[in-house]
């Protein structure tokens, strides 16, 4: 709510407190408190309504350590059933009634954040002298309503702090409790509809740019049986109205993110008779077109892989570490126009990947059966050799389907896996069960190392992909780069170029800028002192003779003699 609307409501509440409730603002201890038995009874009733402890309103989540805010949770009648006071300030908050059992109904407590939030069903803050009672003028109270799965008020959550805090802190309190309130109601909605597929439906007003979010629940056929708007004012965006009875695939104006229950998500049995559409040839200016210029069997591998992706066959792209498996996977999707907002890229080596993978596979499966705007769902799963045991089971269930059933999907997904190891190594290792390994390896594309490619083309591609500013490479430096075997492949090449730019002048890479491991041994290098090496060292150091001497491993006097003997001059003196 805007502040003027809040102030208008507060004035109305203060008027009622005086004229209707006959309260006196000078009362020193106005808050009533219930007996312990009554508080316990109300607390048990509240926990029954929400299905046990709620992590969304947990003190450790909402309050940072050493916070100076008090947290209050009330039931639907404004009775505090849980309170947390800052350490060392318990007595002050207790003296002002900010404790379990206190009654914050407007008829008793006058104008306050809890009663205002219950009356309006909105998140708002009551500051200082906006409270009816004078004894509360030192406090700022930000309150949010807690609603159940059917939008019924079941309580409030409040953060209480000093009114002398900055305005930004008051706004932050509102933001924290608003988010907690929405997450709280989302969990209750999903619990209430635990036997159904639930999700979020989002839209944005094109003029005000305001986001609207609605929770939806679908039956086994994918038809919406219940929905719950998560905004509190009177706005009625048309895309969010009358959703019950409509199929999720028909909600064209909403961006839908679904998550499944324990049950298998519903499937629409539609025969997919469209023939795969494969571009006639790989365009040279696409990412895939630039990659195949690197040679080393890449043109043949790319042709095979693009046909497999077009037929929606899961493809495993593997090879030695650093060969660019993820970049190759993205290039395949890009070449066939499959890059979209519903595409998912996950890293199996990341902590918590099991939960993300489970949710991603559910979403991919559902969007395959119920496509939105003819968008093909895609999944790139990186580092499959790092899959945990739990994630392996989830992925095996997803992949282990009757091949004849794949054509029943309305929009089959494009699924790509990458591994930082050769296929032969994956087969020898027992970390991936055989039952899953050959599901992952239904089609295997093994990328060659950089040593088997056209190194010049690889170098140009790595520069184009990784560096925005143009880079000049001296001929002598390029010769060194071309002669190096690159055991770390494209990843090592990128690291070497980055190091050379940082250690050089940032524009041109000379031999003296390259790491020592790329260069010939010191004994071999001492046999010759070509003019180019001296020029490279001077160029890299912007003609700082002392620095150039250190790069060449010579004294400053020796370098000065070389400069004189070669007839070199500073660029500005030419």
């Amino acid at each position: 709510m805007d502040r003027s609307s809040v102030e208008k409501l507060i004035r109305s509440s203060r008027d009622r407190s005086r004229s209707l409730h006959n309260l006196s603002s000078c009362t020193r201890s106005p808050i009533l408190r219930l007996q312990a038995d009554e508080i316990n009874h109300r607390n048990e009733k509240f926990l029954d309504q929400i299905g046990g402890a709620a992590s969304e309103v947990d003190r450790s989540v909402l309050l940072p350590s050493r916070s100076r805010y008090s947290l209050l949770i009330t039931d639907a009648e404004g009775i505090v059933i849980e309170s947390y006071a800052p350490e060392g300030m318990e007595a002050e908050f207790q003296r002002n009634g900010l404790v379990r059992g206190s009654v914050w109904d407007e008829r008793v407590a006058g104008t306050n954040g809890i009663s205002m939030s219950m009356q309006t069903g909105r998140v708002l803050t009551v500051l200082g002298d906006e409270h009816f009672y004078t004894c509360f003028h030192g406090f700022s109270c930000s309150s949010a309503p807690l609603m159940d799965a059917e939008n019924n008020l079941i309580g409030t959550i409040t953060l209480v702090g000093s009114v002398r805090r900055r305005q930004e802190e008051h706004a932050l309190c509102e933001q924290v409790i608003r988010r907690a309130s929405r997450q709280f109601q989302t969990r209750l909605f999903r619990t209430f509809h635990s036997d159904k597929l639930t999700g979020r439906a989002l839209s944005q007003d094109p003029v005000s740019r305001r986001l609207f979010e609605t929770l939806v629940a679908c039956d086994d056929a994918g038809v919406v049986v219940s929905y719950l708007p998560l905004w509190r004012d009177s706005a009625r965006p048309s895309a969010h109205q009358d959703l019950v009875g409509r199929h999720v695939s028909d909600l064209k104006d909403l961006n839908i993110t679904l998550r499944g229950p324990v049950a298998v998500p519903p499937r629409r049995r539609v025969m997919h008779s469209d023939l795969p559409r494969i571009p006639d040839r790989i365009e040279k200016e696409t990412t895939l077109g630039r990659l195949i210029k690197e040679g080393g069997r890449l043109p043949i591998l790319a042709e095979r892989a693009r046909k497999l992706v077009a037929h929606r066959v899961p493809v495993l792209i593997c090879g030695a570490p650093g060969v660019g498996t993820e970049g190759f996977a993205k290039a395949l999707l890009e070449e066939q126009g499959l890059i979209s907002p519903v595409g998912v890229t996950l890293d199996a080596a990341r902590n918590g990947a099991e939960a993300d993978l489970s949710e991603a596979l559910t979403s991919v499966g559902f969007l395959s059966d119920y496509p939105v705007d003819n968008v093909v769902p895609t999944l790139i799963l990186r580092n499959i050799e790092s899959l945990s045991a739990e994630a392996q089971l989830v992925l095996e269930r997803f992949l282990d389907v009757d091949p004849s059933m794949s054509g029943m999907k309305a929009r089959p997904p494009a699924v790509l896996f990458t591994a930082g190891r050769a296929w032969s190594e994956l087969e020898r290792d027992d970390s991936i069960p055989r039952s899953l390994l050959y599901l992952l390896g239904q089609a295997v594309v093994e990328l060659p190392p950089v040593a088997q490619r056209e190194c010049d083309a690889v170098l140009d591609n790595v520069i184009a992909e990784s560096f925005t500013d143009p880079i000049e490479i001296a001929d002598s430096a390029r010769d060194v780069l071309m002669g190096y075997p690159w055991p770390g492949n494209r990843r090592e090449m990128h690291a070497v170029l980055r190091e050379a730019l940082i250690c050089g002048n940032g524009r041109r890479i000379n031999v003296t800028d390259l790491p020592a491991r790329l260069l010939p041994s010191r004994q071999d290098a001492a046999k010759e002192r070509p003019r180019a090496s001296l020029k490279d060292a001077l160029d890299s150091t912007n003609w700082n003779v002392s620095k150039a001497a250190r790069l060449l491993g010579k004294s400053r006097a020796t370098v000065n003699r070389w400069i004189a003997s070669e007839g070199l001059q500073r660029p500005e003196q030419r």
Side-chain angles (χ1 to χ4, degrees):
M1 299 178 68
D2 62 89
R3 196 60 200 165
S4 60
S5 300
V6 173
E7 290 171 352
K8 182 178 180 181
L9 290 171
I10 288 174
R11 286 195 298 271
S12 176
S13 173
R14 289 175 63 86
D15 290 342
R16 287 195 303 272
S17 298
R18 280 191 296 268
S19 58
L20 184 60
H21 308 320
N22 297 318
L23 303 178
S24 172
S25 61
C26 299
T27 305
R28 302 183 71 176
S29 299
I31 303 303
L32 299 179
R33 303 179 193 176
L34 300 184
Q35 297 294 324
D37 291 345
E38 177 64 19
I39 301 171
N40 292 335
H41 170 71
R42 289 176 176 272
N43 193 21
E44 290 175 4
K45 180 180 177 182
F46 182 82
L47 291 175
D48 286 341
Q49 288 178 304
I50 67 174
S55 60
E56 299 85 2
V57 293
D58 183 78
R59 169 181 52 178
S60 61
V61 174
L62 294 174
L63 297 177
S65 60
R66 306 183 68 84
S67 168
R68 306 288 285 178
Y69 286 93
S70 173
L71 171 65
L72 304 177
I73 299 175
T74 77
D75 61 12
E77 296 178 22
I79 312 298
V80 177
I81 56 176
E82 289 291 349
S83 68
Y84 306 100
E87 185 177 349
M89 301 182 67
E90 295 87 352
E92 180 183 352
F93 280 91
Q94 185 173 5
R95 185 168 58 252
N96 288 282
L98 301 171
V99 293
R100 291 185 78 223
S102 56
V103 180
W104 291 89
D105 186 294
E106 181 189 80
R107 292 170 297 179
V108 176
T111 306
N112 65 85
I114 294 173
S115 64
M116 296 292 295
S117 180
M118 289 193 300
Q119 290 172 22
T120 62
R122 308 285 289 280
V123 179
L124 49 77
T125 299
V126 177
L127 291 166
D129 58 7
E130 292 174 345
H131 290 92
F132 179 78
Y133 287 113
T134 307
C135 60
F136 299 140
H137 286 187
F139 294 107
S140 163
C141 303
S142 299
S143 299
L146 297 177
M147 317 295 284
D148 67 8
E150 297 176 298
N151 235 14
N152 299 313
L153 178 71
I154 58 176
T156 66
I157 180 172
T158 303
L159 288 178
V160 182
S162 171
V163 72
R164 292 186 293 275
R165 299 292 174 91
R166 293 176 301 174
Q167 183 60 39
E168 291 83 355
E169 289 195 52
H170 301 317
L172 178 61
C173 286
E174 287 194 0
Q175 181 181 349
V176 167
I177 60 173
R178 178 182 291 110
R179 183 174 64 248
S181 175
R182 287 163 65 93
Q183 292 174 343
F184 179 88
Q185 190 174 24
T186 298
R187 183 179 61 82
L188 294 187
F189 183 86
R190 285 175 170 162
T191 301
F192 188 80
H193 297 288
S194 60
D195 59 333
K196 302 177 180 64
L197 191 74
T198 59
R200 299 172 183 269
L202 296 168
S203 71
Q204 187 174 42
D205 186 281
V207 178
S208 66
R209 312 302 295 172
R210 177 182 175 183
L211 284 172
F212 293 94
E213 180 178 354
T214 296
L215 300 177
V216 296
C218 309
D219 64 12
D220 292 341
V223 176
V224 177
V225 295
S226 178
Y227 69 99
L228 180 66
L230 290 183
W231 64 92
R232 302 298 179 194
D233 60 9
S234 57
R236 291 180 58 83
S238 58
H240 293 260
Q241 304 301 314
D242 303 320
L243 301 185
V244 172
R246 299 172 64 185
H247 197 278
V248 289
S249 63
D250 297 329
L251 306 179
K252 304 297 185 183
D253 298 326
L254 296 174
N255 182 11
I256 301 175
T257 303
L258 296 163
R259 61 181 291 175
V262 225
V264 177
R267 295 177 179 175
R268 174 180 286 170
R269 300 302 182 187
V270 178
M271 290 299 295
H272 186 69
S273 57
D274 296 341
L275 294 174
R277 297 178 181 178
I278 308 174
D280 293 335
R281 55 191 173 88
I282 301 175
E283 297 294 334
K284 294 181 179 179
E285 297 308 314
T286 62
T287 305
L288 191 61
R290 290 191 293 270
L291 282 175
I292 63 176
K293 292 179 182 178
E294 297 178 8
R297 296 191 68 248
L298 278 174
I300 298 174
L301 294 174
E303 280 294 342
R304 292 179 62 86
R306 64 200 291 262
K307 292 176 182 177
L308 293 166
V309 171
H311 284 79
R312 304 296 183 260
V313 176
V315 178
L316 171 59
I317 305 168
C318 58
V323 293
T325 53
E326 184 182 358
F328 188 79
K330 290 181 178 179
L332 288 171
L333 297 180
E334 177 195 79
E335 193 257 347
Q336 297 190 27
L338 297 179
I339 302 294
S340 71
V342 298
V344 179
T345 299
L346 294 177
D347 189 345
R350 191 178 60 82
N351 288 335
E354 299 87 353
D356 291 341
L357 178 61
S358 179
E359 187 162 347
L361 293 178
T362 299
S363 181
V364 166
F366 191 86
L367 290 172
S368 298
D369 292 319
Y370 305 101
V372 178
D373 293 337
N374 294 324
V375 174
V376 176
T378 64
L379 171 66
I380 298 177
L381 181 59
R382 302 169 50 200
N383 300 314
I384 54 100
E385 67 273 24
S386 300
L387 282 167
S388 66
E390 295 82 0
Q392 289 176 354
L393 290 174
V394 171
L395 188 56
E396 186 171 346
R397 284 196 294 267
F398 176 80
L399 295 173
D400 191 13
V401 295
D402 185 349
S404 63
M405 300 297 291
S406 60
M408 302 295 288
K409 289 184 175 294
R411 190 73 53 183
V415 180
L416 300 169
F417 305 108
T418 73
R421 302 167 67 181
W423 171 250
S424 58
E425 293 182 35
L426 293 174
E427 281 192 306
R428 286 196 301 268
D429 195 352
D430 295 331
S431 59
I432 301 179
R434 289 293 181 270
S435 57
L436 174 61
L437 181 62
Y438 294 108
L439 288 172
L440 292 168
Q442 296 178 50
V444 179
V445 174
E446 188 157 359
L447 302 185
V450 168
Q452 297 177 15
R453 307 186 196 184
E454 297 292 336
C455 193
D456 223 2
V458 178
L459 181 62
D460 292 339
N461 281 339
V462 170
I463 291 174
E465 294 164 6
S466 308
F467 302 96
T468 54
D469 296 328
I471 297 173
E472 183 181 354
I473 302 179
D475 291 341
S476 54
R478 183 175 286 272
D479 290 342
V480 173
L481 295 172
M482 295 301 99
Y484 185 67
W486 298 111
N489 295 296
R490 297 169 67 92
R491 186 187 300 163
E492 184 186 16
M493 185 177 288
H494 170 264
V496 165
L497 294 174
R498 179 182 60 190
E499 179 181 347
L501 286 173
I502 292 172
C503 296
N505 59 22
R507 303 181 305 275
R508 173 184 169 90
I509 296 177
N510 298 299
V511 171
T512 51
D513 303 324
L514 298 174
R517 69 180 186 277
L518 272 69
L519 304 175
S521 67
R522 183 182 298 272
Q523 188 176 11
D524 294 338
K527 294 179 180 178
E528 56 181 23
R529 177 182 54 78
R531 174 189 178 97
S533 297
L534 177 59
K535 292 182 65 177
D536 287 350
L538 292 169
D539 181 59
S540 296
T541 59
N542 293 317
W543 269 78
N544 185 312
V545 176
S546 297
K547 291 183 179 179
R550 286 197 294 271
L551 284 176
L552 294 170
K554 301 295 180 181
S555 68
R556 192 173 189 277
T558 299
V559 171
N560 277 324
R561 285 199 302 272
W562 286 359
I563 292 173
S565 65
E566 296 289 352
L568 301 178
Q569 291 182 326
R570 290 180 181 274
E572 62 269 18
Q573 295 176 350
R574 292 174 187 168

